[in-house]
Amino acid sequence: MIIPARPYPNIKALFSSQGDFDSTQYEFHFLGREALLSCMIKLGLKSGDNIIIPAYICDSSIKPLHVYGFNLIFIDIDKNLNLPCSELKRIIDSKEIKALLLVHYFGYKQEIKEIMDLCREQRIKVIEDMSHGFLSQLLTNKKSIMGDAEIFSIRKSLPTADGGAMRINNTIQNSNKTNILAASDLNYLILRYFERIVVWMGINIFSQFINNFKNKFRRARNEIPSFNVKTYKISWQLQKYLGNKQYLSASQQKITKNFNQLSIALQNNGFRLFHKSLKDNAVPQACIVYDDNGGLVEYLRSEGIGAWQWPNDEIPDEVSDNSDQYPNTVFFDKNLVLIPVHQSLTEKKINYMIRVLSRWYL
């Protein structure tokens, strides 16, 4: 059995007659990294400004910031994936900081009141990164934003090619929009259904050979420098998903159910989980376990399960080249394994993952 790492397109939801999504609160971009750059520009940040960035981050998401000319200052996260206020204060006291990127990891919202109080006192802009947790923040209004703005990468939660978005705590002018090409919509559907056929044939799309090919393609694509801040009208597929409250609600419930079932079984089998249970209406991106002995991702992928580590080979060079300065980031990068729980997974597939995982300690 093959367990995909991300949800498949839902034809019923795509052709539902439910209403349109009110996109007036948002500015849309093709990718979340483009929304992040646009957000910083709209907040008045300039090339050369000092921006604090958590070291535990994917390099491709901050590459446009490098290209634009921001000076990125990395900070290690603590053992709970939070930014330590004492270290933040030290950096702020030693440099003129203009903004802070605050990441809410894997669908769980961080407790950020102390950080917000510090940044407001120092007039530092705060961008909340909800790229991992669109479904946790779904349909809340701007009043829910504690920072100056928030960004999303909706394609990490919904089966679409696009989905970069931002909300900012003042009026934004959504000018110069261009359509997502219909061909992009069609190409995405064709590729995902081709993947589905390949999986149905029993071909392990997570084999080492295929994985090496995908990694080479991904690295080549990310090598292309870009700081595109052009806004988009969202694709037809994304519009249909966002306008379908029944699909979104069912997705939230299914992910929560999958997580709870997997979490209980894995704890009973001796696994250490980073989050044992859900709280604060979190809709998790994955079920996260500690890999204390190494090799768990390789084992799961050899069994057809699309588990992954993050950011893995996309950890920023500034961090990997100075690993002694960022011990918690390096530890989590090497020792956390993310197991899919998305809305396309049936109970049969969850049970298959439980059986495979139960053999890990044998």
Side-chain angles (χ1 to χ4, degrees):
M1 185 178 293
I2 310 300
I3 310 296
R6 51 185 178 160
Y8 283 123
N10 186 298
I11 295 299
K12 183 179 179 181
L14 287 176
F15 289 95
S16 167
S17 59
Q18 291 208 20
D20 289 335
F21 173 67
D22 179 11
S23 61
T24 55
Q25 287 193 51
Y26 298 83
E27 176 181 287
F28 285 94
H29 297 260
F30 194 72
L31 298 173
R33 69 194 73 166
E34 296 164 355
L36 174 58
L37 176 58
S38 177
C39 179
M40 289 191 169
I41 293 172
K42 279 189 164 54
L43 289 174
L45 302 172
K46 308 292 185 184
S47 175
D49 283 348
N50 292 324
I51 314 292
I52 296 177
I53 303 284
Y56 192 46
I57 199 163
C58 181
D59 185 62
S60 60
S61 66
I62 59 172
K63 189 178 290 291
L65 307 185
H66 273 302
V67 175
Y68 189 77
F70 291 123
N71 181 32
L72 306 186
I73 300 171
F74 292 91
I75 178 174
D76 198 16
I77 36 84
D78 66 17
K79 296 184 183 300
N80 295 310
L81 299 181
N82 296 313
L83 293 180
C85 267
S86 58
E87 180 63 10
L88 273 176
K89 289 177 182 176
R90 186 192 68 76
I91 295 174
I92 290 169
D93 287 342
S94 63
K95 297 180 183 294
E96 184 181 0
I97 302 299
K98 294 294 186 179
L100 164 70
L101 178 64
L102 198 156
V103 180
H104 297 283
Y105 293 102
F106 310 127
Y108 298 86
K109 291 208 72 174
Q110 305 284 351
E111 175 53 56
I112 62 172
K113 185 180 183 305
E114 186 177 1
I115 292 174
M116 288 305 309
D117 289 344
L118 172 64
C119 289
R120 287 195 183 102
E121 179 184 326
Q122 300 294 327
R123 297 185 178 181
I124 294 170
K125 301 290 186 183
V126 176
I127 299 98
E128 295 186 64
D129 185 343
M130 289 296 298
S131 293
H132 296 172
F134 173 72
L135 288 174
S136 297
Q137 190 75 339
L138 181 63
L139 302 181
T140 56
N141 58 36
K142 286 187 185 179
K143 294 179 181 178
S144 69
I145 308 173
M146 292 187 67
D148 295 277
E150 64 183 354
I151 65 155
F152 302 95
S153 182
I154 303 174
R155 69 192 185 112
K156 290 181 173 62
S157 302
L158 302 181
T160 63
D162 62 320
M166 58 169 279
R167 294 197 294 187
I168 198 165
N169 272 337
N170 55 45
T171 302
I172 56 177
Q173 299 296 322
N174 293 329
S175 58
N176 300 320
K177 285 188 177 180
T178 59
N179 285 311
I180 300 290
L181 296 177
S184 297
D185 261 345
L186 182 60
N187 286 342
Y188 179 79
L189 282 176
I190 291 172
L191 286 172
R192 294 308 310 281
Y193 274 94
F194 175 75
E195 175 188 315
R196 201 161 193 171
I197 292 170
V198 170
V199 166
W200 175 79
M201 293 171 63
I203 297 173
N204 185 359
I205 59 175
F206 304 110
S207 68
Q208 190 63 47
F209 173 78
I210 295 178
N211 192 52
N212 288 340
F213 175 80
K214 288 191 292 187
N215 285 339
K216 287 180 181 178
F217 175 78
R218 188 179 298 115
R219 283 193 293 268
R221 183 181 59 186
N222 290 333
E223 292 268 336
I224 303 172
S226 170
F227 49 89
N228 176 23
V229 292
K230 182 166 54 178
T231 58
Y232 284 89
K233 292 180 181 178
I234 59 177
S235 67
W236 165 75
Q237 292 172 59
L238 185 53
Q239 180 73 52
K240 294 298 291 187
Y241 288 130
L242 293 178
N244 192 326
K245 293 183 180 180
Q246 183 178 350
Y247 169 76
L248 294 173
S249 177
S251 294
Q252 291 172 311
Q253 293 173 25
K254 189 67 169 69
I255 293 168
T256 299
K257 179 183 177 182
N258 287 343
F259 173 88
N260 288 332
Q261 184 179 349
L262 195 56
S263 171
I264 291 170
L266 294 188
Q267 290 178 73
N268 289 339
N269 278 292
F271 283 90
R272 290 197 305 136
L273 271 66
F274 191 85
H275 297 285
K276 295 181 179 179
S277 60
L278 302 177
K279 61 179 182 178
D280 300 329
N281 299 315
V283 181
Q285 186 187 27
C287 183
I288 308 170
V289 301
Y290 288 95
D291 181 10
D292 294 317
N293 301 313
L296 180 57
V297 166
E298 292 77 10
Y299 166 70
L300 291 174
R301 293 176 81 88
S302 72
E303 296 288 336
I305 298 172
W308 72 99
Q309 289 173 294
W310 186 90
N312 200 13
D313 59 352
E314 283 204 63
I315 192 167
D317 290 341
E318 297 93 330
V319 177
S320 60
D321 291 344
N322 300 280
S323 58
D324 58 319
Q325 298 180 30
Y326 310 104
N328 292 326
T329 292
V330 172
F331 174 82
F332 289 130
D333 180 50
K334 300 297 184 185
N335 291 275
L336 292 186
V337 173
L338 285 74
I339 302 171
V341 293
H342 58 74
Q343 60 268 40
S344 293
L345 297 183
T346 62
E347 186 165 350
K348 181 179 180 181
K349 291 180 177 178
I350 294 294
N351 286 330
Y352 171 75
M353 289 196 292
I354 291 171
R355 291 196 301 273
V356 170
L357 284 155
S358 68
R359 299 195 294 265
W360 175 244
Y361 285 123
L362 294 180

